[in-house]
Amino acid sequence: MTDTPPEFLDEQHRCTTEELLSWSLRHCTCPRGGEYHARQAYAAATYDAYCAPRRAAGPEVDAGTLFVLFVFLVDDATVAEIEALVRFIETGTVDARHEGVACVNAILETLRRKGAPTAQVERAFRAWASRAVAEQSLDVKDLTVESYWPYRKHTILVPLFLQCWTAELGLYLAPDVEEALELSGLPELAARMVVLANDLGSLERDAARREDDPHAVDINSVLLLESTMGSRASAIRHIIEEHNRDVERFTAQGTRLLAEHGHSQPRLHDRVELIRHQTNGNTGAVRHLMDRYPGGRARLRSLHRIPDMG
């Protein structure tokens, strides 16, 4: 794949990387080349290995695994590519070939072939798309962690990941329990923890990007807090403390939710576990991908994990 052989977790990790690379090369529309897609496929397979609620090798990767590849297609895309992808999601119009469009179609088609409903997944795609466009017009001079959050909680793509796997595994709940899960704040807490872990992991990369382009919208939480906290070290400590407080909040809220509804809705435990596993797995994946997130491993060791709530 590259000059340095990748470190595979196991044979399944290797197989998923090869499957995603094969898919990427078949649908490639960018000029970046095979080695770029090999690195991207490896990163996506690593997130799948750490975050997916199940891992199944086969001739076709499942919707949840394809979705992780979509995350990296978006993360590495140019503004023009994102805008074309957003237009497709919002209108169904393909005005330029892009592998992201093929990936969205493949995710939805994979779910439909399995008889899974896609309405909520499509709604989550549209929610991401609207924030992705609006994010590009933000004025970075006035940006704060709080003002950025209504955009970031969608552009971090955690809600979409959870919807893809909910559809893939058929983990839908009764409407009142679905509402209780949303009101518990667990999905939003998960998105916050993923944001904070990713920002700690990508701090060096994001700082370098900001130096290259002071007007870039993709702002790291640590960098946003740096001036108000007095130093980068203080901002890092604050982010770590916030993450670990969120772990405590998630555990308390999850335990309460399961005590109130878990007996009547056995799938609720699976949904909570899906959210917990994705959140914990994200930190493990960032730690593993040090080529993509250089310098963050020591900081990430300070982050607590959400415990199993039975």
Side-chain angles (χ1 to χ4, degrees):
M1 285 170 52
T2 62
D3 293 338
T4 303
E7 178 188 350
F8 289 109
L9 297 165
D10 52 31
E11 189 58 27
Q12 176 64 66
H13 186 200
R14 181 191 300 276
C15 288
T16 302
T17 300
E18 292 172 353
E19 289 164 2
L20 289 176
L21 176 58
S22 176
W23 188 95
S24 294
L25 294 177
R26 288 198 309 274
H27 295 88
C28 177
T29 57
C30 73
R32 300 179 181 103
E35 185 172 324
Y36 160 81
H37 281 298
R39 290 194 300 270
Q40 192 177 64
Y42 176 77
T46 301
Y47 268 87
D48 185 70
Y50 277 98
C51 298
R54 72 173 187 206
R55 300 169 67 199
E60 178 186 61
V61 290
D62 53 34
T65 303
L66 277 170
F67 176 73
V68 184
L69 182 62
F70 172 82
V71 172
F72 285 93
L73 287 170
V74 169
D75 195 41
D76 294 340
T78 65
V79 172
E81 288 170 335
I82 289 177
E83 288 174 347
L85 178 55
V86 166
R87 281 193 295 274
F88 166 72
I89 290 171
E90 292 184 332
T91 69
T93 301
V94 181
D95 53 5
R97 290 183 66 243
H98 180 246
E99 51 241 50
V101 171
C103 196
V104 173
N105 279 329
I107 291 165
L108 296 175
E109 288 168 6
T110 300
L111 291 172
R112 288 168 185 148
R113 279 197 299 273
K114 297 176 181 180
T118 62
Q120 292 188 40
V121 178
E122 292 176 68
R123 192 177 303 119
F125 267 117
R126 290 192 294 272
W128 168 80
S130 66
R131 272 67 170 199
V133 170
E135 184 184 65
Q136 298 305 315
S137 63
L138 292 174
D139 187 343
V140 295
K141 297 192 301 296
D142 302 322
L143 210 57
T144 65
V145 173
E146 292 75 20
S147 66
Y148 197 15
W149 180 243
Y151 305 90
R152 191 82 190 277
K153 70 180 179 181
H154 290 280
T155 57
I156 195 64
L157 291 163
V158 169
L160 247 172
F161 177 92
L162 297 175
Q163 283 296 343
C164 280
W165 274 109
T166 296
E168 177 79 38
L169 300 178
L171 298 180
Y172 292 108
L173 307 168
D176 61 323
V177 181
E178 198 77 57
E179 181 181 17
L181 174 59
E182 193 64 32
L183 290 174
S184 73
L186 296 186
E188 184 143 334
L189 282 169
R192 274 175 49 88
M193 285 184 277
V194 169
V195 164
L196 298 180
N198 285 13
D199 286 353
L200 289 168
S202 63
L203 178 56
E204 284 80 6
R205 188 182 66 180
D206 291 344
R209 181 187 301 159
R210 189 174 70 169
E211 290 174 5
D212 292 339
D213 181 6
H215 300 291
V217 173
D218 184 16
I219 300 297
N220 187 295
S221 301
V222 176
L223 300 177
L224 284 173
L225 287 170
E226 187 175 0
S227 59
T228 58
M229 300 293 296
S231 70
R232 185 168 297 181
S234 296
I236 290 170
R237 284 195 300 272
H238 178 81
I239 293 297
I240 291 171
E241 290 165 1
E242 276 293 299
H243 177 280
N244 292 342
R245 278 193 290 268
D246 284 344
V247 168
E248 294 174 3
R249 295 183 188 110
F250 188 102
T251 304
Q253 288 292 90
T255 301
R256 186 179 303 115
L257 182 69
L258 289 170
E260 292 175 359
H261 300 282
H263 295 296
S264 62
Q265 286 280 301
R267 288 179 179 172
L268 178 60
H269 180 273
D270 295 330
R271 283 284 291 279
V272 172
E273 181 63 13
L274 170 64
I275 302 169
R276 183 186 80 91
H277 191 66
Q278 197 268 341
T279 308
N280 286 343
N282 175 76
T283 302
V286 175
R287 286 180 61 179
H288 183 87
L289 294 170
M290 281 295 100
D291 285 348
R292 190 176 182 92
Y293 305 101
R297 185 167 287 171
R299 292 188 291 269
L300 292 170
R301 288 196 189 101
S302 300
L303 300 184
H304 297 168
R305 292 173 57 84
I306 306 169
D308 186 351
M309 286 167 278

